[in-house]
Amino acid sequence: MKKAIVLLSGGLDSSTALYVAKNEGFDELYALTFEYGQKHDKEIESAKAVARAAGVKEHKFVRLLLNQWGDCSLTNPAVQIDKGNVNRTDIPATYVPARNMVFLSVAASYADALEISDLFIGVSETDYSGYVDCRESFIKAMEEAVNLGTVLGAEKKRRITIHAPFLHMTKADEIRLGIKLGVDFSLTWSCYRGEEKPCGTCDSCLLRARAFAEAGIEDPLLKK
């Protein structure tokens, strides 16, 4: 069996990354979802639904309370989520400090324990909200670090590869790919707010709306 670990938040990117892994022949998939102190659990419930639909072998939930520090609007109830701006050049208040670094470190520990040398993450530096941990330079550096800091990479010489298939892909192209691969985007959740329907005004909603529009596909979440 060809095994891989996929970081699965339940959002558009990570869900599509899961199906990319399946399409690339990884037939034993391990999904890893983090409860990091989010204000709502909509994405976590979506992650459960996507994992079931994809038929993963195992779905782990890891609790990391990153809401214990910082003024991130995704985790701190006292900080409001700003109205979105897809053209922003500053780091938004929704940035969770070093989140992807923490997530990939935990994924590397999981990989070391299971002796799995392939990790998938759905980050992109083409279409993103200004997060520093979505850049190719970070992914490459993190890959080197996990290979130096795991028995699998450092002692057994089974190099761990961090697959980031959307690094240089627009979200519109990602959606087109997801449709071809059979991703059910109605199961995903992108909105930073945990209401019954997407708010349509946060950064994530705006990026998602623009991507579906550019792809020429109706967002199934807006049909509900």
Side-chain angles (χ1 to χ4, degrees):
M1 301 292 282
K2 196 176 175 185
K3 304 176 182 180
I5 294 170
V6 182
L7 274 65
L8 182 65
S9 71
L12 185 154
D13 303 323
S14 67
S15 299
T16 307
L18 178 62
Y19 279 77
V20 167
K22 283 186 67 174
N23 187 60
E24 291 185 2
F26 292 95
D27 47 9
E28 190 169 297
L29 295 169
Y30 295 77
L32 193 57
T33 298
F34 295 92
E35 300 175 52
Y36 56 89
Q38 305 97 310
K39 290 178 181 177
H40 64 80
D41 62 357
K42 293 280 287 191
E43 269 199 341
I44 292 171
E45 292 305 312
S46 289
K48 292 177 183 177
V50 171
R52 283 194 299 268
V56 304
K57 180 178 176 61
E58 186 172 85
H59 191 182
K60 290 284 190 184
F61 296 85
V62 178
R63 228 173 152 219
L64 294 168
L65 298 184
L66 302 183
N67 59 340
Q68 295 182 84
W69 51 77
D71 289 323
C72 171
S73 60
L74 295 189
T75 59
N76 188 337
V79 181
Q80 281 193 333
I81 294 172
D82 293 335
K83 187 175 180 180
N85 176 8
V86 295
N87 298 312
R88 72 167 71 249
T89 56
D90 58 336
I91 302 299
T94 52
Y95 169 69
V96 181
R99 178 174 60 181
N100 285 336
M101 184 185 298
V102 174
F103 289 178
L104 284 169
S105 295
V106 174
S109 174
Y110 191 26
D112 211 16
L114 296 182
E115 296 195 349
I116 293 175
S117 55
D118 292 277
L119 309 178
F120 280 78
I121 184 170
V123 296
S124 169
E125 67 174 35
T126 301
D127 246 347
Y128 74 125
S129 299
Y131 299 152
V132 295
D133 53 359
C134 289
R135 298 171 181 170
E136 184 175 18
S137 55
F138 163 73
I139 295 297
K140 286 182 175 179
M142 197 66 195
E143 185 175 276
E144 290 304 313
V146 301
N147 278 288
L148 290 171
T150 57
V151 168
L152 192 64
E155 295 296 323
K156 296 185 177 179
K157 305 304 179 184
R158 288 181 53 192
R159 185 170 179 80
I160 296 172
T161 300
I162 298 177
H163 302 263
F166 313 133
L167 261 179
H168 304 296
M169 185 183 292
T170 66
K171 274 196 188 322
D173 285 338
E174 182 187 323
I175 289 169
R176 293 187 189 101
L177 175 60
I179 294 294
K180 290 179 182 177
L181 298 180
V183 180
D184 184 352
F185 287 115
S186 72
L187 300 178
T188 66
W189 184 263
S190 302
C191 182
Y192 289 148
R193 298 181 173 91
E195 298 164 3
E196 185 177 346
K197 293 184 178 180
C199 71
T201 60
C202 69
D203 276 348
S204 191
C205 276
L206 294 178
L207 286 169
R208 180 175 174 132
R210 183 175 71 182
F212 271 100
E214 289 176 354
I217 298 168
E218 185 178 5
D219 185 347
L221 284 187
L222 302 183
K223 296 179 182 178
K224 294 183 177 181

